[in-house]
Amino acid sequence: MRLIRTATLELEEFIDDEIPNYAILSHTWGREEVSFADFDKPESRQKAGYGKIVQCCSLARSRDHDFVWIDTCCIDKSSSSELSEAINSMYNWYFDAEECFAYLSDVQKEPSEQTWLLQFRASRWFTRGWTLQELLAPPALFFYDSNWVELGTKSLLAEHIESITKIRPYNFITDPRDASIAQRMFWASGRQTTRVEDRAYCLLGLFDINMPLLYGERKEAFTRLQLEIIKKYDDESIFAWMNDDYPRGGMLARSPADFLRSGDIVKSRVLAYRSRKAYSYTNRGLEFQVIGWKGRAFSSAQDGDILEIDSDWIAPISCARSTGGMAPLVLYFQYAKDGFPHVVQRVHLDRLDSVHESILPQRTSTLYVAQDFTPAYKIPLRLLTEAWQRRVLGGRTMREIEEDGDPMAPVAGEDFNRYTAVLNRTGVGYSSNPRLRDIQCALSYQGSLRANLP
């Protein structure tokens, strides 16, 4: 671990038990940050980032800290092995720090408390992926404004932090790992990172996971993270996510954003599911022992109505909404087309329904859930030929509709209904948006659609 000596602004390196007590900086990167390679160069002292380093060291020294860690200059990012070690260790480094200083460059404490609280709530610091662990891990976290004036600790500002992040004070002050997998994913669902892979890597510490970094794998990084979580935890809330953009997919989410509606999902204590066979990932997908119905209908725990869902399997999982009476949630599966026996895909990704515990099923079957997502490409109608536009739009083309001054005219007529029926039969997802009525279809399917149109 490389630290800056606050008295001399010199970098020093320590190993394991040799690491002294230190303070640590949390911030969002801006322009002219000083890297490890540039730290000793005289011209670096003219950069804005160097002033941040000087001010942080001055603050740490005033609080009796001989050393401070700052991510911009204490990691040699030209070394892939050092970068990987640092990212896998970072949560623990923040946890072990005596104090953490969160520097909010877009907040000013003056002129009034009302003003700076508004700035505090809108701060970029609360939108970045890496700062999530920097909020959760340090036992002692102090916030500072752009002039290094103290705003308060995370305990004193707990009410405002809870309102901004939707994280309970207990979780960001005492024990973040007490929350379910889905809840922890929810905390990250609205945060952004510069690199796609970092949306997964910034969560390693939160789930106590260590894995190699492979920049260039893009969204595959989040898939790898979920597989590591499945190996470590017996928590089926990792499957409790929703996605409105795909009609079918696998058991694993595409990104933390899929957990945006999972903030109230917790593990449930349904005895029937403690004996579910352990998961394994195969070349056919995730091996998943379904304890469910081979059918379409079940009684909803939300209102008691009988729900009829177009699916081949309805499978409860051992998690529930804390705001929904703790009734188990269910997932829907359909057999994959032209697939191996027992290979299914998850369908109706845009819903998570609950089922009454009194009708929990006992039938079991081992299925393989293919991870591929069927995309619902949004192809504007104007990309279709005029002949097709007339058939879909009831005799008019998009140009004619716009010339009539009615660009938002609803699509109606028997031709439209027949067209969407064909989309259903071929498995292509579509949207019947009441205003624009864009048809979701893949260009690769257009030939088969033409051939099958009644």
Side-chain angles (χ1 to χ4, degrees):
M1 184 180 191
R2 197 175 286 111
L3 298 170
I4 305 173
R5 185 176 287 274
T6 58
T8 62
L9 270 68
E10 294 177 342
L11 288 170
E12 299 185 27
E13 195 164 344
F14 302 91
I15 299 175
D16 298 333
D17 294 340
E18 299 176 355
I19 298 174
N21 294 333
Y22 60 92
I24 199 165
L25 177 67
S26 171
H27 65 121
T28 57
W29 284 36
R31 296 181 179 179
E32 299 186 331
E33 296 290 355
V34 177
S35 67
F36 170 75
D38 297 333
F39 187 76
D40 291 326
K41 295 179 180 178
E43 56 268 27
S44 296
R45 299 185 180 185
Q46 307 303 317
K47 294 183 176 181
Y50 192 82
K52 189 191 301 185
I53 295 172
V54 171
Q55 291 292 334
C56 180
C57 288
S58 176
L59 173 64
R61 194 165 60 252
S62 70
R63 299 181 67 87
D64 298 324
H65 299 295
D66 294 329
F67 294 94
V68 68
W69 186 87
I70 302 175
D71 58 352
T72 53
C73 58
C74 289
I75 304 173
D76 182 3
K77 297 177 182 63
S78 66
S79 168
S80 58
S81 60
E82 181 174 331
L83 178 61
S84 180
E85 180 184 0
I87 289 179
N88 277 282
S89 305
M90 203 171 293
Y91 187 96
N92 291 329
W93 288 351
Y94 276 91
F95 180 80
D96 292 337
E98 287 195 315
E99 292 182 334
C100 177
F101 310 137
Y103 174 68
L104 310 186
S105 60
D106 49 2
V107 177
Q108 280 190 312
K109 192 168 185 179
E110 301 297 336
S112 67
E113 181 178 5
Q114 183 178 10
T115 300
W116 77 256
L117 280 175
L118 289 174
Q119 294 175 350
F120 182 78
R121 296 177 66 87
S123 177
R124 183 169 175 260
W125 191 86
F126 289 106
T127 69
R128 306 304 295 170
W130 289 106
T131 54
L132 176 60
Q133 66 179 359
E134 295 163 18
L135 167 66
L136 300 172
L141 174 61
F142 299 81
F143 289 93
Y144 291 86
D145 76 352
S146 58
N147 296 315
W148 294 90
V149 176
E150 185 176 335
L151 302 173
T153 65
K154 67 176 177 180
S155 297
L156 291 175
L157 297 170
E159 181 180 351
H160 301 290
I161 295 172
E162 179 182 17
S163 176
I164 298 165
T165 64
K166 305 298 185 275
I167 305 174
R168 294 184 306 155
Y170 172 77
N171 290 130
F172 64 75
I173 294 175
T174 305
D175 187 5
R177 291 173 177 170
D178 178 65
S180 71
I181 300 297
Q183 287 175 313
R184 282 180 267 178
M185 289 292 190
F186 163 74
W187 300 342
S189 61
R191 293 175 178 258
Q192 302 296 321
T193 59
T194 303
R195 300 287 296 269
V196 173
E197 297 88 346
D198 285 338
R199 296 204 72 184
Y201 300 158
C202 72
L203 300 177
L204 294 178
L206 182 56
F207 293 104
D208 196 19
I209 297 294
N210 282 275
M211 70 182 200
L213 310 186
L214 301 173
Y215 282 103
E217 64 176 335
R218 299 185 62 76
K219 291 185 178 180
E220 189 64 25
F222 190 63
T223 299
R224 285 202 300 127
L225 172 63
Q226 292 173 92
L227 291 175
E228 292 298 323
I229 291 172
I230 288 172
K231 293 177 186 177
K232 189 179 183 74
Y233 297 95
D234 183 19
D235 183 349
E236 294 187 355
S237 71
I238 193 173
F239 306 131
W241 51 267
M242 303 170 71
N243 186 303
D244 295 329
D245 296 328
Y246 291 82
R248 58 174 63 205
M251 289 293 285
L252 307 179
R254 286 176 57 82
S255 80
D258 289 348
F259 290 88
L260 187 61
R261 289 168 281 183
S262 303
D264 61 342
I265 293 178
V266 297
K267 292 178 65 175
S268 63
R269 307 300 180 191
V270 182
L271 294 176
Y273 298 96
R274 292 183 179 175
S275 59
R276 192 197 297 276
K277 183 180 176 182
Y279 317 112
S280 62
Y281 202 73
T282 73
N283 60 337
R284 296 184 183 181
L286 186 74
E287 185 178 355
F288 183 72
Q289 187 180 50
V290 173
I291 307 175
W293 298 272
K294 190 174 183 181
R296 299 186 175 187
F298 69 95
S299 179
S300 167
Q302 283 99 323
D303 48 27
D305 291 342
I306 300 297
L307 295 181
E308 291 196 17
I309 306 296
D310 183 18
S311 65
D312 294 320
W313 280 93
I314 301 171
I317 54 177
S318 292
C319 58
R321 293 195 181 277
S322 59
T323 56
M326 296 301 292
L329 300 175
V330 294
L331 305 180
Y332 306 107
F333 300 96
Q334 282 185 344
Y335 288 110
K337 296 181 180 180
D338 302 324
F340 292 96
H342 305 294
V343 175
V344 298
Q345 281 191 296
R346 185 177 160 190
V347 294
H348 303 294
L349 306 182
D350 59 345
R351 60 190 302 159
L352 280 174
D353 298 309
S354 301
V355 61
H356 278 296
E357 288 191 46
S358 60
I359 59 170
L360 288 177
Q362 297 300 322
R363 178 172 180 172
T364 65
S365 180
T366 298
L367 300 177
Y368 298 91
V369 188
Q371 183 58 23
D372 291 340
F373 280 73
T374 300
Y377 296 104
K378 295 186 178 180
I379 307 299
L381 287 174
R382 65 176 67 255
L383 295 185
L384 301 176
T385 65
E386 288 193 1
W388 265 64
Q389 289 183 33
R390 292 185 196 283
R391 301 188 77 169
V392 175
L393 298 172
R396 294 192 293 174
T397 65
M398 290 292 292
R399 182 188 297 249
E400 290 169 344
I401 290 175
E402 292 170 355
E403 288 175 351
D404 291 341
D406 188 15
M408 299 291 189
V411 177
E414 190 174 335
D415 283 334
F416 176 77
N417 294 332
R418 288 188 303 182
Y419 183 85
T420 55
V422 171
L423 291 176
N424 278 332
R425 289 205 304 271
T426 56
V428 180
Y430 74 96
S431 170
S432 54
N433 185 297
R435 301 288 287 171
L436 297 176
R437 301 286 181 172
D438 279 355
I439 303 299
Q440 295 178 333
C441 64
L443 289 174
S444 59
Y445 279 90
Q446 284 195 14
S448 63
L449 289 176
R450 285 193 186 93
N452 288 290
L453 188 67

